[in-house]
Structures are given as structure tokens and as C-alpha cells.
Amino acid sequence: MSSTVAAASVAPTEAAASGHVSLTGVTKSFGDLTAVRDLELDVSQGEFLSMLGPSGSGKTTVLRMIAGFEDVTSGTIRIGGEDVTRIPPHRRPVNTVFQDYALFPHLTIAENVAYGLRVRGQSKRERQAAVDAALAQVRLDHVASRLPHQLSGGQRQRIALARALILRPRVLLLDEPLGALDKQLREEMQIELKSIQREVGITFIFVTHDQEEALTLSDRVAVFNDGRIEQIGSAREVYEYPRTEFVARFLGLSNIIPAETAQRLTGTAAAISIRPERVRLLAPDEQVSRDDVVVEGHVAEIVYTGPTTRVIVDGIDGLRLIAETQNSHHPSADVTVRRGDRVRVAWASSHAAELP
Ligand code: ATP
């Protein structure tokens, strides 16, 4: 489904109160440099969208334009159907969570979370009830009277989230919010973040350059390259069916087979991408089905990664393929080939993605 179709499917009345975000023809230039080019993007109410891409591809600039911290050079931004392109940040129904938490060090956690409500002039009683609810939402009700330095990194990030959510934005923008956390905490927080988003039901737009994080969290992933969206789709779509070599390579390991070799193997003259875990190492007399593409070659290398073993096979035309196998509980099912062995690998052609 194209993004324009998604926009048209939101009824005006629904759009008015919603966190539906729509960017039309948005371009941003900094002097000679075009950071974002003619961008079309529609994010549905309640959707978790990740913007993924290498450094400098324009993700943060898009986020900052939605927040209003950055003016657009041309184009229109709408939130809930309302044109917010020229509206200042504090009047947009959005809030942003940054990587560095930005908590006030001398205020307690409760005071930090209540801050935005105090600025809005809410009474102490109202603030108290809202703070209790927000802290419960991020499962940190027991730390209300502590100071920020008495919390762990993951806890501080959850407080930053509570502080943003208490203002009831229709859209929450998150700029690499887990970037400062170590791997284990980051993975815990990803699960937490996803469940909080489901509970509050508001639109989350999340910037990351970590592909695994984007795939884990998102309803859809927009893969950015040089100021453009190279592909947008569900995690499964962009991972299993990348439309360009850039997307195939950016989202994890991929076997890219050039068009000429692909033609010899499959009869179709288009380059293909096939994920290593889709490539099977065949047993010597194993039968294959008609749908399978088979390549013969020699084992060049065997790499043990813990959960998987990668067998690297050199085949025709200098083609090097990676076949990745899950290490099972049964030693008999583990990879038994050795370097230099002659082997066959195969994949179902339906598992390969054609690249233009
Ligand atoms: P990162 O993951 O490193 O944050 P990004 O994909 O978010 O990268 P942006 O920060 O949006 O990329 O930057 C896109 C391009 O715009 C880069 O080339 C960057 O140098 C440039 N840029 C961003 N902000 C400014 C600015 N205020 N002035 C000039 N150039 C800028």
C-alpha cells in the first residue's frame, strides 16, 4: 500500500483528533546540502514507526521538522489533519524524548515528571494524580522521591518517557532514546517501550540506526538513504523482501547475487538477495524440490557465532554464499562439514527477493 493511499483512508473526523502524521513533499536544505528530499510519509494513529538509516541519512532532521525545532524548506506537515508546518513547537501536539534524558538534576523524580504540568499551570493535586499515573505507567512508582543520579540509565530513560507522556501528546517522537544504554538493558527497554506504547496507544516515531532495534519495535520501518525513504514496510517486508541492494545490506547479512549469475541459476535476469538463514546446507544425497535453487561449491570457512553456525561456500562465477544454521540441542543436527568439503546449498526461490 502506498503512503498516499494510507493518508486518504483516514476519515477527516478521525484524523482531527488523532496522532496521524502526514508529510507531503517535505524538503530540507542546509545551504547547499539537501538533508531531506521531497519526502512523502504517512504514519497512522497509534502506529509505531521507526526511521532507520546510516548516519547523515536525514532521520533526525525529519524528526526535528515534525517537532517544529527545524523549519521545512518546502512541503507540508499535518498532524491529525491540521497543517502544523508553521506552528511553533510548543503548540504542536507532540513531545520528544532524547537520548540524553535531559532530567533536571536537582529536582526529584516526581518534580521532574510534573514539570510540564507545572508550566501549564495545573494545580498541585491534579499534578500529583497525573505523576502517580505516569510513574505507574513506566513501572517506577517507587522512585518518586529520589533524585535522577540515584537511578540507573534505564530507569532515567523511563522517567524521561513518563515526563513526555504526562503531557498527553498525540505523537511521541523518540530520538535514539536507548542509544546510551548497554546491550542487555537496551534489549529489556525495547520490550518495555513496545508494551508502554501499546498501553498508551499513541503514535510513536522512533529514530535509530540499529536495525535489530527497528525490526523488534516497529509496526513499520522506514529505511532512509541520503535524505530519501528507500523502502517502507513492516519489519518482515523490509527484511525478507528488500527492494534495493542498499536495504538488503543495511538490514543484516545478505547474500547478494548479481544479475548475470542469477540468470544462470534461476533464468531470471535480476540480481537477487537471499538471507543466510534461508540458505540450507544439503546432506550429500538430500532431495530438493522444484522450487529450490541449488548451488554447488566448496566450504571456504565455518564460523561459529553461538546460536548459529555460518558456512561460507564458494560457488560458480566467484559467488560466495553464506548458509546459516541454528545450533540445535542435538549434536547430530549440528554442522559437520569441514573446510574444503564439496557441498551443495539450496534455497526456495520464493524466499529470495529480486532487486532492481
Ligand atoms: P545521525 O544518525 O548521525 O543522527 P541522521 O540520519 O539523523 O544521522 P541528520 O542528523 O538528519 O542525519 O543529518 C542529515 C544531514 O544534514 C547530514 O549531512 C547533516 O550533517 C546535515 N545537517 C543536519 N543538521 C544540520 C544543521 N543544523 N546545519 C547544517 N547541516 C545539518
Side-chain angles (χ1 to χ4, degrees), residues 151-170:
L151 300 188
S152 71
Q155 288 175 325
R156 264 180 276 182
Q157 193 49 279
R158 263 144 70 183
I159 296 304
L161 196 61
R163 192 180 52 174
L165 289 172
I166 204 170
L167 297 173
R168 300 189 175 281
R170 281 190 260 151

Side-chain angles (χ1 to χ4, degrees), residues 236-264:
R236 186 177 288 275
E237 277 164 2
V238 293
Y239 183 78
E240 300 279 355
Y241 300 104
R243 279 204 222 108
T244 66
E245 186 171 338
F246 176 86
V247 176
R249 288 193 191 283
F250 195 74
L251 287 168
L253 265 184
S254 195
N255 293 297
I256 307 281
I257 301 172
E260 269 178 38
T261 311
Q263 172 139 44
R264 288 181 56 191

Side-chain angles (χ1 to χ4, degrees), residues 30 33-36 53-62 64 70 175-176 207-209 224:
F30 296 105
L33 182 119
T34 306
V36 176
S55 186
S57 57
K59 318 173 293 286
T60 302
T61 304
V62 172
R64 290 174 57 79
E70 205 78 73
D175 193 357
E176 303 240 9
V207 163
T208 180
H209 58 253
F224 276 71

